[in-house]
Amino acid sequence: MERFNNAVSKLFVVIMAIITLFPFIYMLLASLMTFQEATSIPPKLFPAHPQFKNYAEALEEAPFVQYFINTIFVSVVSTFGTLVTSILSAFALVKLNFKGKNMLLLGMAALLMVPYEVTVFTNFQTIAQLGLINTYTALIIPSLASIFYTFYLKEFLSSIPISYYKAAKVDGCSDLEFITRILIPLSKPALFTMSILSFISGWNSFLWPILVTNEPEMRLLSNGLTSFATESGSNVHLQMAASTLSVVPILILYLIFRKQIIRGVVRSGIKG
Amino acid sequence: MEENSFVKDMTKQEPSKPKRWQNYSAENSPQAWLYLLPALIIIGVFNVFPLIRTFIMSMQTGKTLNSMHFGGFKNFEIILRDPKFHIAIFNTVTYAIVVVPVGLIISMLIATTIYTKIKNKTVFETIFFIPYLTSVIAIGIVFRYLFNGDYGFINYFLSWFGIGPINFLDDPNMSITTLIIFGIWSGLAFNIIILLSGLRNINENYYKVADMFGATKMEQFKRITLPQMIPIITFLSMVNFINAFKVYAQVYSLFGGKAGIANSATTGVFYIFNKFYVDFKYGQGMAAAVILFLLILTFTFIQNFVLKRISR
């Protein structure tokens, strides 16, 4: 009985793993099919001859190269901004004592409870009133700081003994020197994980870019992808090629930095 | 002003503490605000201010953003009477109360099996985590293709078992079910990873002792694993519930930028988006946002309370 149970539950996990992977595999396969193959009834699993030109065609039909450049630029700059603001604020929250610190921490924790979707629309208005629609500034500015990552980093920094800070102070080290010469080198792993996670969420961001951009040249990958999907109609093979293009970079990042990413999500998940 | 009172505090405290060198004064430093400033400006402008503004605007009426004026609770009255809003809330709640428990149970089954019975844990962990990182939009487009009524793979697969064809995308009665399937699929990743890390943290000696006393695996699961995992399950169900209430991108990509056929899959956020970005009824949109926010808060508190009760 126990052995039977074992077999059944293993089979279940294997089937679920297949279900999890299947959309990705099928996306890849269909991206290499001809239009006839992709829409044949019954559906085909494998293309007879891989059509690599689908990718070239998809890239031609919509400015995906521009989307890529935009996405990478926006994600990198917001990640960098988040890193800087989070390091500074996490340092202040962990190593310094000041009046109102507890109130501030409480307020920030309360803000974490506010769903992004509740504030995103009024943020759009702020941006619209500043006349920043269709600019990189609009895409980047709200994600230049993050309470979430500040708390994530704070958790990590609190494991660095306060005596390091005191010793540095005694040796006449300024706060900024302490941050750049001691704090950052010591918290490299956390900063690294943070950057990957922040980059990925920038890469996948959707609601904000769709609100603040309406010119095709300013789109990011995900909203470029949805507009391509509606415009290209039934050209599913091209849609699959475009989806593959936007998913594969993240998959490669994941396969290289699997450990750091999973550890980072678990850490921030459980404590956040 | 603040600095003054701060100095007073310091002078008051210092004589009472015998070891002055331990209270190194650079530590009690208001310059902390300087380091916090960049983050606080951004958070203030893009987190605090919009939250307040959402509440203010929910009470305002007006055709353009610059001519808004106070309108009392009129927006709320309109919204609460709007049948579309009822559908949106009904859909959102249905989605949440199906996706969260079903997703959690499936994740729990997968996580415990991986942890107890499978050798290549990393391989499976790696596979199951993929959907968490990949764009919901891209995968939604893939699912749209898989769900297609004519050439979709899912109907083809179901036909092997004599089921279907099911009109996943173009039948108003199916939209929410389709959305739920996609929602469960995309939610498993996070749950499994967190559950696995929780399982790893359970002290193995508990199981050794249980084995010595001849407890069956089932008993061990009920008496050891489950109670130990309650905090993590509580956390996950809360995160899942909040995310389910905010479901939006899934709908957008699955139904090609619309809320399903005949708006049958409108969710709360989708409703807000349409009011705001399509109909330009800013006040009404924000009133809906306030209601959604309060609903999320209430659900979170109720759930927290109930789960705490259960775990006792």
Short mmCIF file of all heavy atoms in Angstrom, two decimals, chain A residues 62-106:
data_model
loop_
_atom_site.label_atom_id
_atom_site.label_comp_id
_atom_site.label_asym_id
_atom_site.label_seq_id
_atom_site.Cartn_x
_atom_site.Cartn_y
_atom_site.Cartn_z
N ALA A 62 6.97 44.29 -35.62
CA ALA A 62 6.82 45.24 -34.51
C ALA A 62 8.21 45.64 -34.06
O ALA A 62 9.15 44.86 -34.20
CB ALA A 62 6.05 44.59 -33.37
N PRO A 63 8.37 46.85 -33.53
CA PRO A 63 9.72 47.31 -33.15
C PRO A 63 10.23 46.63 -31.88
O PRO A 63 10.46 47.28 -30.85
CB PRO A 63 9.53 48.81 -32.94
CG PRO A 63 8.08 48.99 -32.66
CD PRO A 63 7.36 47.88 -33.35
N PHE A 64 10.38 45.32 -31.94
CA PHE A 64 10.79 44.60 -30.74
C PHE A 64 12.19 44.98 -30.28
O PHE A 64 12.48 44.96 -29.09
CB PHE A 64 10.71 43.08 -30.96
CG PHE A 64 9.34 42.54 -30.70
CD1 PHE A 64 8.53 42.14 -31.75
CD2 PHE A 64 8.85 42.46 -29.40
CE1 PHE A 64 7.25 41.66 -31.51
CE2 PHE A 64 7.58 41.99 -29.16
CZ PHE A 64 6.78 41.59 -30.21
N VAL A 65 13.05 45.32 -31.24
CA VAL A 65 14.41 45.72 -30.84
C VAL A 65 14.32 46.95 -29.94
O VAL A 65 14.97 47.02 -28.89
CB VAL A 65 15.27 46.00 -32.09
CG1 VAL A 65 16.66 46.46 -31.67
CG2 VAL A 65 15.36 44.76 -32.97
N GLN A 66 13.46 47.90 -30.37
CA GLN A 66 13.26 49.10 -29.55
C GLN A 66 12.70 48.72 -28.18
O GLN A 66 13.14 49.23 -27.15
CB GLN A 66 12.29 50.04 -30.28
CG GLN A 66 12.07 51.37 -29.58
CD GLN A 66 13.33 52.21 -29.58
OE1 GLN A 66 14.00 52.35 -30.60
NE2 GLN A 66 13.66 52.75 -28.42
N TYR A 67 11.74 47.81 -28.15
CA TYR A 67 11.17 47.35 -26.88
C TYR A 67 12.26 46.78 -25.97
O TYR A 67 12.29 47.04 -24.77
CB TYR A 67 10.10 46.26 -27.09
CG TYR A 67 8.91 46.66 -27.92
CD1 TYR A 67 8.08 45.69 -28.49
CD2 TYR A 67 8.59 48.00 -28.14
CE1 TYR A 67 6.98 46.04 -29.25
CE2 TYR A 67 7.49 48.35 -28.91
CZ TYR A 67 6.69 47.37 -29.46
OH TYR A 67 5.61 47.70 -30.22
N PHE A 68 13.15 45.99 -26.59
CA PHE A 68 14.23 45.38 -25.82
C PHE A 68 15.11 46.46 -25.20
O PHE A 68 15.41 46.43 -24.01
CB PHE A 68 15.10 44.48 -26.71
CG PHE A 68 14.70 43.05 -26.66
CD1 PHE A 68 13.97 42.49 -27.69
CD2 PHE A 68 15.03 42.26 -25.57
CE1 PHE A 68 13.59 41.16 -27.65
CE2 PHE A 68 14.65 40.93 -25.51
CZ PHE A 68 13.92 40.38 -26.56
N ILE A 69 15.49 47.42 -26.05
CA ILE A 69 16.36 48.49 -25.56
C ILE A 69 15.67 49.24 -24.42
O ILE A 69 16.25 49.45 -23.35
CB ILE A 69 16.73 49.45 -26.72
CG1 ILE A 69 17.54 48.69 -27.76
CG2 ILE A 69 17.50 50.66 -26.20
CD1 ILE A 69 17.78 49.47 -29.04
N ASN A 70 14.40 49.60 -24.65
CA ASN A 70 13.65 50.31 -23.61
C ASN A 70 13.60 49.51 -22.32
O ASN A 70 13.87 50.03 -21.23
CB ASN A 70 12.20 50.55 -24.07
CG ASN A 70 12.10 51.55 -25.18
OD1 ASN A 70 13.07 52.22 -25.49
ND2 ASN A 70 10.94 51.65 -25.78
N THR A 71 13.24 48.23 -22.46
CA THR A 71 13.08 47.39 -21.27
C THR A 71 14.38 47.27 -20.50
O THR A 71 14.41 47.43 -19.27
CB THR A 71 12.59 45.99 -21.67
OG1 THR A 71 11.46 46.14 -22.52
CG2 THR A 71 12.19 45.18 -20.45
N ILE A 72 15.47 47.00 -21.23
CA ILE A 72 16.75 46.84 -20.55
C ILE A 72 17.15 48.15 -19.88
O ILE A 72 17.52 48.17 -18.70
CB ILE A 72 17.84 46.37 -21.54
CG1 ILE A 72 17.53 44.94 -21.98
CG2 ILE A 72 19.22 46.43 -20.90
CD1 ILE A 72 18.41 44.42 -23.09
N PHE A 73 17.00 49.24 -20.61
CA PHE A 73 17.39 50.55 -20.05
C PHE A 73 16.58 50.85 -18.78
O PHE A 73 17.15 51.16 -17.72
CB PHE A 73 17.17 51.64 -21.10
CG PHE A 73 17.49 53.01 -20.61
CD1 PHE A 73 18.81 53.38 -20.35
CD2 PHE A 73 16.48 53.94 -20.39
CE1 PHE A 73 19.11 54.65 -19.88
CE2 PHE A 73 16.77 55.21 -19.93
CZ PHE A 73 18.09 55.57 -19.67
N VAL A 74 15.26 50.72 -18.89
CA VAL A 74 14.41 51.05 -17.75
C VAL A 74 14.69 50.12 -16.57
O VAL A 74 14.83 50.57 -15.43
CB VAL A 74 12.92 50.99 -18.16
CG1 VAL A 74 12.00 51.04 -16.95
CG2 VAL A 74 12.59 52.12 -19.11
N SER A 75 14.81 48.83 -16.84
CA SER A 75 15.05 47.89 -15.72
C SER A 75 16.39 48.15 -15.07
O SER A 75 16.50 48.10 -13.84
CB SER A 75 15.01 46.43 -16.19
OG SER A 75 13.97 46.21 -17.08
N VAL A 76 17.42 48.41 -15.88
CA VAL A 76 18.75 48.61 -15.30
C VAL A 76 18.78 49.89 -14.46
O VAL A 76 19.25 49.88 -13.32
CB VAL A 76 19.84 48.65 -16.41
CG1 VAL A 76 21.15 49.17 -15.86
CG2 VAL A 76 20.03 47.26 -16.99
N VAL A 77 18.23 50.97 -15.01
CA VAL A 77 18.29 52.22 -14.26
C VAL A 77 17.45 52.12 -12.99
O VAL A 77 17.90 52.55 -11.92
CB VAL A 77 17.83 53.42 -15.14
CG1 VAL A 77 17.82 54.69 -14.32
CG2 VAL A 77 18.74 53.57 -16.33
N SER A 78 16.26 51.53 -13.08
CA SER A 78 15.47 51.46 -11.84
C SER A 78 16.12 50.54 -10.82
O SER A 78 16.07 50.81 -9.62
CB SER A 78 14.01 51.05 -12.05
OG SER A 78 13.74 50.66 -13.32
N THR A 79 16.75 49.47 -11.31
CA THR A 79 17.44 48.58 -10.38
C THR A 79 18.58 49.33 -9.68
O THR A 79 18.73 49.25 -8.46
CB THR A 79 18.01 47.36 -11.12
OG1 THR A 79 16.93 46.66 -11.73
CG2 THR A 79 18.73 46.43 -10.18
N PHE A 80 19.34 50.06 -10.48
CA PHE A 80 20.45 50.80 -9.90
C PHE A 80 19.95 51.83 -8.88
O PHE A 80 20.48 51.94 -7.77
CB PHE A 80 21.25 51.48 -11.01
CG PHE A 80 22.50 52.14 -10.52
CD1 PHE A 80 23.58 51.37 -10.13
CD2 PHE A 80 22.57 53.51 -10.42
CE1 PHE A 80 24.73 51.97 -9.66
CE2 PHE A 80 23.71 54.13 -9.94
CZ PHE A 80 24.79 53.35 -9.56
N GLY A 81 18.89 52.54 -9.26
CA GLY A 81 18.31 53.51 -8.33
C GLY A 81 17.83 52.87 -7.05
O GLY A 81 18.09 53.36 -5.95
N THR A 82 17.13 51.75 -7.19
CA THR A 82 16.65 51.04 -6.01
C THR A 82 17.80 50.64 -5.12
O THR A 82 17.74 50.76 -3.90
CB THR A 82 15.87 49.78 -6.43
OG1 THR A 82 14.95 50.14 -7.44
CG2 THR A 82 15.14 49.18 -5.26
N LEU A 83 18.89 50.16 -5.75
CA LEU A 83 20.06 49.75 -4.97
C LEU A 83 20.57 50.92 -4.14
O LEU A 83 20.77 50.79 -2.92
CB LEU A 83 21.17 49.26 -5.89
CG LEU A 83 21.12 47.82 -6.37
CD1 LEU A 83 22.28 47.54 -7.30
CD2 LEU A 83 21.18 46.88 -5.18
N VAL A 84 20.77 52.06 -4.79
CA VAL A 84 21.34 53.21 -4.09
C VAL A 84 20.43 53.66 -2.95
O VAL A 84 20.86 53.76 -1.79
CB VAL A 84 21.60 54.38 -5.07
CG1 VAL A 84 22.04 55.61 -4.33
CG2 VAL A 84 22.63 53.97 -6.11
N THR A 85 19.15 53.90 -3.26
CA THR A 85 18.26 54.41 -2.22
C THR A 85 18.08 53.37 -1.10
O THR A 85 18.00 53.73 0.07
CB THR A 85 16.88 54.78 -2.79
OG1 THR A 85 16.35 53.65 -3.48
CG2 THR A 85 16.97 55.95 -3.74
N SER A 86 18.04 52.09 -1.47
CA SER A 86 17.83 51.08 -0.43
C SER A 86 19.04 50.94 0.47
O SER A 86 18.91 50.77 1.68
CB SER A 86 17.51 49.71 -1.05
OG SER A 86 16.44 49.81 -1.92
N ILE A 87 20.24 50.99 -0.13
CA ILE A 87 21.44 50.87 0.71
C ILE A 87 21.47 52.02 1.71
O ILE A 87 21.66 51.80 2.91
CB ILE A 87 22.72 50.90 -0.16
CG1 ILE A 87 22.82 49.63 -1.00
CG2 ILE A 87 23.96 51.02 0.72
CD1 ILE A 87 23.92 49.69 -2.05
N LEU A 88 21.28 53.25 1.20
CA LEU A 88 21.34 54.41 2.08
C LEU A 88 20.30 54.31 3.19
O LEU A 88 20.60 54.49 4.37
CB LEU A 88 21.13 55.70 1.27
CG LEU A 88 22.26 56.08 0.33
CD1 LEU A 88 21.89 57.32 -0.46
CD2 LEU A 88 23.55 56.32 1.11
N SER A 89 19.06 53.99 2.81
CA SER A 89 18.01 54.01 3.84
C SER A 89 18.14 52.81 4.77
O SER A 89 17.90 52.93 5.97
CB SER A 89 16.62 54.09 3.20
OG SER A 89 16.47 53.11 2.22
N ALA A 90 18.54 51.66 4.23
CA ALA A 90 18.70 50.50 5.10
C ALA A 90 19.83 50.75 6.09
O ALA A 90 19.73 50.39 7.27
CB ALA A 90 18.97 49.24 4.28
N PHE A 91 20.89 51.39 5.62
CA PHE A 91 21.99 51.73 6.52
C PHE A 91 21.49 52.62 7.66
O PHE A 91 21.76 52.35 8.83
CB PHE A 91 23.10 52.45 5.73
CG PHE A 91 24.03 53.25 6.60
CD1 PHE A 91 25.00 52.62 7.37
CD2 PHE A 91 23.92 54.65 6.65
CE1 PHE A 91 25.84 53.36 8.18
CE2 PHE A 91 24.77 55.38 7.46
CZ PHE A 91 25.73 54.74 8.23
N ALA A 92 20.73 53.66 7.29
CA ALA A 92 20.22 54.56 8.31
C ALA A 92 19.32 53.82 9.29
O ALA A 92 19.36 54.06 10.50
CB ALA A 92 19.47 55.71 7.66
N LEU A 93 18.51 52.91 8.77
CA LEU A 93 17.55 52.22 9.63
C LEU A 93 18.22 51.19 10.55
O LEU A 93 17.72 50.90 11.64
CB LEU A 93 16.48 51.53 8.78
CG LEU A 93 15.50 52.48 8.09
CD1 LEU A 93 14.60 51.72 7.13
CD2 LEU A 93 14.66 53.24 9.11
N VAL A 94 19.34 50.66 10.10
CA VAL A 94 19.97 49.60 10.91
C VAL A 94 21.05 50.16 11.83
O VAL A 94 21.10 49.84 13.01
CB VAL A 94 20.56 48.50 10.00
CG1 VAL A 94 21.32 47.49 10.84
CG2 VAL A 94 19.47 47.83 9.22
N LYS A 95 21.92 51.00 11.28
CA LYS A 95 23.09 51.39 12.06
C LYS A 95 22.93 52.71 12.80
O LYS A 95 23.77 53.04 13.63
CB LYS A 95 24.32 51.48 11.13
CG LYS A 95 24.64 50.19 10.40
CD LYS A 95 25.10 49.09 11.34
CE LYS A 95 25.33 47.79 10.60
NZ LYS A 95 24.89 46.60 11.36
N LEU A 96 21.95 53.49 12.46
CA LEU A 96 21.81 54.77 13.14
C LEU A 96 20.55 54.78 14.00
O LEU A 96 19.57 54.11 13.70
CB LEU A 96 21.73 55.92 12.12
CG LEU A 96 22.92 56.09 11.18
CD1 LEU A 96 22.65 57.20 10.20
CD2 LEU A 96 24.19 56.35 11.95
N ASN A 97 20.63 55.55 15.06
CA ASN A 97 19.44 55.75 15.88
C ASN A 97 19.02 57.20 15.76
O ASN A 97 19.85 58.09 15.84
CB ASN A 97 19.73 55.43 17.34
CG ASN A 97 19.76 53.94 17.56
OD1 ASN A 97 18.90 53.23 17.03
ND2 ASN A 97 20.75 53.47 18.30
N PHE A 98 17.76 57.40 15.57
CA PHE A 98 17.30 58.78 15.46
C PHE A 98 15.85 58.84 15.92
O PHE A 98 15.17 57.83 16.05
CB PHE A 98 17.44 59.28 14.01
CG PHE A 98 16.79 58.38 13.01
CD1 PHE A 98 15.48 58.59 12.60
CD2 PHE A 98 17.49 57.30 12.47
CE1 PHE A 98 14.89 57.77 11.67
CE2 PHE A 98 16.89 56.47 11.55
CZ PHE A 98 15.59 56.70 11.16
N LYS A 99 15.44 60.05 16.16
CA LYS A 99 14.08 60.26 16.64
C LYS A 99 13.07 59.90 15.57
O LYS A 99 13.26 60.22 14.40
CB LYS A 99 13.90 61.72 17.02
CG LYS A 99 13.82 61.90 18.51
CD LYS A 99 13.28 63.27 18.84
CE LYS A 99 12.44 63.20 20.08
NZ LYS A 99 11.77 64.47 20.31
N GLY A 100 12.02 59.24 15.97
CA GLY A 100 10.96 58.92 15.01
C GLY A 100 11.24 57.67 14.19
O GLY A 100 10.53 57.37 13.26
N LYS A 101 12.32 56.95 14.55
CA LYS A 101 12.67 55.77 13.77
C LYS A 101 11.57 54.71 13.83
O LYS A 101 11.17 54.15 12.81
CB LYS A 101 13.98 55.20 14.32
CG LYS A 101 14.49 54.00 13.56
CD LYS A 101 15.88 53.66 14.05
CE LYS A 101 16.31 52.28 13.64
NZ LYS A 101 17.64 51.96 14.15
N ASN A 102 11.08 54.46 15.03
CA ASN A 102 10.04 53.43 15.15
C ASN A 102 8.77 53.79 14.40
O ASN A 102 8.15 52.95 13.76
CB ASN A 102 9.74 53.16 16.62
CG ASN A 102 10.88 52.41 17.27
OD1 ASN A 102 11.62 51.69 16.57
ND2 ASN A 102 11.05 52.59 18.57
N MET A 103 8.40 55.08 14.50
CA MET A 103 7.22 55.54 13.77
C MET A 103 7.42 55.33 12.27
O MET A 103 6.54 54.87 11.57
CB MET A 103 6.98 57.03 14.02
CG MET A 103 6.26 57.34 15.31
SD MET A 103 4.62 56.60 15.33
CE MET A 103 3.82 57.66 14.13
N LEU A 104 8.61 55.67 11.82
CA LEU A 104 8.93 55.55 10.40
C LEU A 104 8.83 54.09 9.95
O LEU A 104 8.21 53.78 8.93
CB LEU A 104 10.33 56.09 10.13
CG LEU A 104 10.74 56.10 8.66
CD1 LEU A 104 9.96 57.15 7.90
CD2 LEU A 104 12.23 56.35 8.52
N LEU A 105 9.42 53.20 10.75
CA LEU A 105 9.38 51.77 10.41
C LEU A 105 7.94 51.28 10.35
O LEU A 105 7.54 50.54 9.45
CB LEU A 105 10.17 50.96 11.43
CG LEU A 105 11.69 51.02 11.25
CD1 LEU A 105 12.39 50.35 12.41
CD2 LEU A 105 12.08 50.34 9.94
N LEU A 106 7.15 51.73 11.32
CA LEU A 106 5.75 51.32 11.37
C LEU A 106 5.00 51.81 10.14
O LEU A 106 4.25 51.07 9.50
CB LEU A 106 5.11 51.90 12.64
CG LEU A 106 3.98 51.10 13.23
CD1 LEU A 106 4.48 49.78 13.76
CD2 LEU A 106 3.31 51.90 14.35
#
